[in-house]
Amino acid sequence: MDKINSQEALLAAYAACKGSLALRCIDKHDINSPKKEILCCGGTGCHASNSKELMDNLRKAIKEHGLDNDVKVIQTGCFGFCAQGPIVKVMPDNVFYVQVTPEDAAEIVEKHIVGKQLVERLLFVEPMLKERIHDYAKMSFYAKQERIALRNCGLLDPENISEYIANEGYQALAKCLFQMKPAEVVQEVLNSGICGRGGAGFPTGMKWKIAAGVQADEKYIVCNADEGDPGAFMDRSIMEGDPNSIIEAMAIGAYAIGAQHGLVYIRAEYPLAVSRLQIAIDEARKCGLLGDHIMGTDFSFDISIKLGAGAFVCGEETALIHSMEGLRGEPTTKPPFPANIGGGYWGCSTNVNNVETYASIPVIIRKGAAWYSKIGNWQPELDENGNFKRTISGNAGTKVFALAGQINNVGLVEVPMGTTLREIIYEIGGGISGGHEFKAVQTGGPSGGCITKENLDTPIDYGNLSKIGSMMGSGGMIVLSDKDCMPAMAKFYLGFTKDESCGKCTPCRIGTRRMLEMLEKICDGNGDEKMLDDLERLAKTIADTALCGLGQTAPNPILSTLRYFKDEYIAHVRDKKCPAGTCRKLFTLTITDGCIGCTKCKRNCPVGAITGELKQKHVIDQTKCIKCGACIDGCPKKAIVKD
């Protein structure tokens, strides 16, 4: 592609590239079309499930049938439906195949492409309806989603900037450079109501306005891609599937605040995201969309990547900045804030936003603040000129959640703010897996809290989640069922935050360790009721005295589970029982008289703890049993119980 040196050149490139997406933008089912595109998920999860080999096999089968000129295999980013990967979508047929293996490639080509018949066994089966569906738009998982931040994931080849340009990429940046002043860009973002999707929920436009108001020769704009919550993979998927949206948004932000340099701080554990982001940066430079005099204007801006070592605390912006400077990743007290001189990167004014926040910016600029602010449940207070008037945490737009745990449809979902938990769990998520009962959902990762069935109809936004003792966080949403023990869940998160504490302040360094020790005693049956009071008192003290957000929110899983599930804690300390049957020191496995002596449990036991002859009742040696549950899973008569 030639260098783009004007807005007209960008529009010409858009017109030239647009045809490349023609087959992907048809909604109707057209299995008789001679031209086909086979879209294959190329995210990390599907790569781990051999999607690369699947694509190679598809191309091989296409070549064998002499269809090279009519059928193309396109690697895309994550489709979001991670539990069903690898995913293959055939366009313009609008057919969605799930859990596809490399061995299925030949059948897809022979039966679907050549024979014009659906491969029924690879179609998705709705958990509730028990019927196969070929059109992804009719699947419950996608039907209620509104994909803005994820708009290009699963649609475009993330390693081809031409496809991004074909889908109106970089037009928002051109609009800013040629039609808007920096202050107008800031106001547009402010009017949209979007707030930080990294967890704090501070209005993004206000953050930009503060940075823009700082008089300084040197400013930086930073993308926080240090995603560290257990079970969260929103940012990784966006960078793997749509890296150019991050580049364009950072350039827009740089223009708005007066920065010339951008940095993406990303953990080294994301090699695919790093690779695709670097490819996108290099392509943008070659096209004149990064570097000196972008699109022939006086605006110059470039981006570099900084790798992090995976410290959770570096998700906090001051710790992140220190890590980028080569220092220990520790937070500092504010003020000065990063936007202030002395508080940012090398002491310069610095604006930090996370990946998901940036991913929505180009659409907001292109379609307008009024369009975006109507999505969700935000009602902004405007002045007589229609501009945002008050500094509050808005609930406009959409939020991406990583839906995981005891749920049928595991994956990434993007829904308007105000969508209820019931809609997400039972309609989008397909209900609780294995026929179990819903117990709670943990939002906000280790910094959040649990939400019970009494609050399933709560509209999800920053204020409502805070009222019921949880938080939005970066978007992790772990669904828990009656199989899960709440004290054990709190122990898991405390173990994580204890390990991830930078150790700078005493409440976090020592306090998280003491809380974890108490939880370990409780889950082992060595606690007492006084310990519950001590645990709650210590948790509240740490929340009030820790230096940064990691320490201040570390007690949240304890406080919320004590609030809603204190009966489970009491059962552990008073009755020495785990109601969920997951704390191994609080139950024993026993084979009942229902045993028919099939020997399956004996064969499944990894430590040889089960003895017995064929067609005779078996016995578990409690001194050897590790309580892994393999015997329960394999017993055809359900004759093994937890006592």
Side-chain angles (χ1 to χ4, degrees):
M1 183 181 292
D2 295 332
K3 199 162 188 175
I4 296 171
N5 53 17
S6 66
Q7 188 173 21
E8 291 73 22
L10 177 65
L11 292 174
Y14 164 68
C17 297
K18 189 176 180 181
S20 65
L21 299 183
L23 294 179
R24 283 174 248 180
C25 299
I26 298 174
D27 292 329
K28 63 180 180 180
H29 182 71
D30 189 10
I31 201 167
N32 294 312
S33 171
K35 297 285 186 180
K36 307 283 188 189
E37 282 187 336
I38 303 177
L39 310 182
C40 295
C41 177
T44 291
C46 287
H47 272 195
S49 299
N50 300 319
S51 66
K52 284 185 177 180
E53 185 182 351
L54 166 62
M55 286 183 274
D56 290 341
N57 288 358
L58 283 167
R59 292 187 180 105
K60 181 181 177 182
I62 289 166
K63 187 174 183 180
E64 289 174 351
H65 285 275
L67 299 171
D68 305 58
N69 295 326
D70 295 325
V71 183
K72 303 296 181 186
V73 176
I74 310 293
Q75 176 175 248
T76 71
C78 177
F79 282 86
F81 209 169
C82 304
Q84 299 297 326
I87 288 169
V88 167
K89 185 179 178 185
V90 184
M91 296 299 292
D93 308 14
N94 212 19
V95 173
F96 197 86
Y97 292 126
V98 299
Q99 296 183 350
V100 185
T101 68
E103 292 72 31
D104 296 323
E107 184 179 359
I108 290 174
V109 173
E110 291 168 9
K111 188 171 184 178
H112 185 127
I113 304 299
V114 178
K116 303 186 187 322
Q117 298 177 36
L118 298 180
V119 184
E120 294 283 343
R121 66 181 183 83
L122 295 178
L123 297 177
F124 174 67
V125 179
E126 279 284 0
M128 298 296 192
L129 302 177
K130 304 298 182 184
E131 64 181 38
R132 295 187 181 276
I133 297 178
H134 73 266
D135 185 349
Y136 86 104
K138 295 179 180 178
M139 296 178 187
S140 59
F141 183 79
Y142 289 105
K144 284 204 168 187
Q145 291 195 49
E146 187 160 354
R147 292 163 71 88
I148 296 176
L150 300 177
R151 64 193 177 279
N152 292 327
C153 296
L155 175 67
L156 307 181
D157 178 353
E159 299 182 14
N160 187 347
I161 195 172
S162 297
E163 294 202 352
Y164 183 72
I165 290 172
N167 204 35
E168 301 183 288
Y170 290 102
Q171 290 191 22
L173 176 59
K175 181 179 179 180
C176 293
L177 296 182
F178 293 100
Q179 301 174 33
M180 302 174 75
K181 296 177 181 178
E184 292 174 331
V185 177
V186 171
Q187 192 63 53
E188 191 77 358
V189 175
L190 198 53
N191 288 350
S192 73
I194 187 173
C195 44
R197 297 303 194 238
F202 189 79
T204 302
M206 183 55 61
K207 207 171 194 180
W208 287 20
K209 187 173 183 178
I210 294 168
V214 175
Q215 300 300 313
D217 295 330
E218 192 80 24
K219 291 184 182 180
Y220 292 90
I221 191 157
V222 173
C223 175
N224 180 354
D226 189 58
E227 183 176 49
D229 282 12
F233 50 99
M234 301 79 62
D235 294 349
R236 187 195 74 200
S237 294
I238 292 172
M239 289 184 290
E240 290 177 357
D242 192 18
N244 277 286
S245 67
I246 307 306
I247 296 169
E248 182 178 13
M250 290 180 69
I252 292 169
Y255 174 74
I257 71 169
Q260 298 80 40
H261 307 286
L263 302 124
V264 179
Y265 182 81
I266 180 171
R267 50 183 49 216
E269 292 98 323
Y270 284 178
L272 185 59
V274 172
S275 172
R276 288 183 177 167
L277 197 57
Q278 189 62 62
I279 290 170
I281 290 171
D282 293 341
E283 286 192 319
R285 285 196 191 113
K286 290 178 183 178
C287 293
L289 299 169
L290 275 182
D292 296 332
H293 304 291
I294 294 175
M295 287 190 245
T297 68
D298 293 333
F299 174 62
S300 298
F301 173 71
D302 210 344
I303 296 173
S304 59
I305 294 174
K306 291 278 188 179
L307 297 182
F312 181 63
V313 73
C314 287
E316 196 278 336
E317 57 185 3
T318 60
L320 178 154
I321 289 168
H322 293 149
S323 180
M324 290 198 304
E325 294 170 342
L327 303 174
R328 183 181 175 91
E330 293 180 336
T332 53
T333 54
K334 305 173 192 176
F337 292 91
N340 304 133
I341 294 175
Y345 185 59
W346 297 122
C348 300
S349 176
T350 302
N351 181 85
V352 183
N353 292 116
N354 92 316
V355 170
E356 187 186 336
T357 307
Y358 281 126
S360 298
I361 294 296
V363 193
I364 291 172
I365 296 298
R366 202 172 69 243
K367 294 190 175 182
W371 165 81
Y372 188 82
S373 65
K374 291 176 182 177
I375 301 170
N377 62 344
W378 188 52
Q379 295 180 340
E381 184 177 334
L382 306 178
D383 61 20
E384 61 277 6
N385 297 317
N387 289 327
F388 181 77
K389 186 177 179 181
R390 292 191 300 153
T391 305
I392 58 173
S393 290
N395 292 310
T398 60
K399 180 73 187 80
V400 181
F401 294 98
L403 193 59
Q406 308 294 335
I407 192 91
N408 282 311
N409 298 339
V410 172
L412 288 181
V413 303
E414 184 173 4
V415 295
M417 289 281 196
T419 303
T420 66
L421 282 166
R422 189 181 300 278
E423 290 175 286
I424 293 176
I425 293 170
Y426 287 98
E427 295 182 37
I428 297 173
I432 309 304
S433 59
H436 289 276
E437 291 292 323
F438 171 83
K439 179 180 280 188
V441 58
Q442 174 80 12
T443 63
S447 300
C450 63
I451 302 168
T452 63
K453 60 184 177 182
E454 285 75 17
N455 293 308
L456 274 174
D457 293 310
T458 300
I460 295 178
D461 61 38
Y462 291 92
N464 284 329
L465 288 181
S466 179
K467 288 177 184 176
I468 58 177
S470 189
M471 63 185 296
M472 186 77 71
S474 62
M477 186 175 284
I478 312 297
V479 178
L480 307 169
S481 75
D482 52 18
K483 289 175 59 177
D484 295 295
C485 169
M486 303 312 287
M489 187 275 293
K491 184 182 74 170
F492 166 77
Y493 281 120
L494 252 293
F496 178 84
T497 50
K498 186 267 294 181
D499 289 342
E500 294 295 336
S501 172
C502 74
K504 185 173 183 178
C505 73
T506 301
C508 185
R509 181 180 70 251
I510 304 299
T512 54
R513 185 177 296 274
R514 295 290 89 85
M515 288 191 296
L516 179 60
E517 289 171 353
M518 291 184 193
L519 284 170
E520 287 173 341
K521 289 181 179 179
I522 290 168
C523 291
D524 288 346
N526 297 322
D528 54 37
E529 291 186 58
K530 180 180 180 300
M531 188 176 288
L532 299 184
D533 295 332
D534 294 340
L535 179 63
E536 184 172 10
R537 185 166 56 252
L538 178 58
K540 290 178 178 178
T541 301
I542 294 169
D544 291 339
T545 58
L547 174 63
C548 79
L550 186 150
Q552 291 163 6
T553 58
N556 283 354
I558 293 174
L559 293 173
S560 64
T561 51
L562 278 172
R563 176 180 177 183
Y564 294 114
F565 298 98
K566 194 164 186 177
D567 58 324
E568 287 197 30
Y569 282 90
I570 292 173
H572 281 69
V573 298
R574 181 189 296 167
D575 305 326
K576 309 303 180 186
K577 292 288 184 182
C578 174
T582 60
C583 295
R584 294 188 179 184
K585 293 190 177 181
L586 297 183
F587 70 83
T588 57
L589 293 175
T590 305
I591 299 177
T592 68
D593 291 338
C595 175
I596 59 173
C598 68
T599 75
K600 282 188 178 180
C601 61
K602 182 179 178 180
R603 285 179 277 132
N604 287 346
C605 182
V607 293
I610 300 177
T611 57
E613 299 299 323
L614 183 65
K615 296 185 179 181
Q616 293 182 7
K617 180 182 175 182
H618 286 41
V619 177
I620 299 176
D621 184 343
Q622 300 298 335
T623 63
K624 293 182 180 180
C625 179
I626 60 172
K627 303 173 185 178
C628 64
C631 56
I632 295 178
D633 296 336
C635 181
K637 294 296 182 178
K638 308 298 181 186
I640 304 175
V641 297
K642 293 179 179 179
D643 293 328

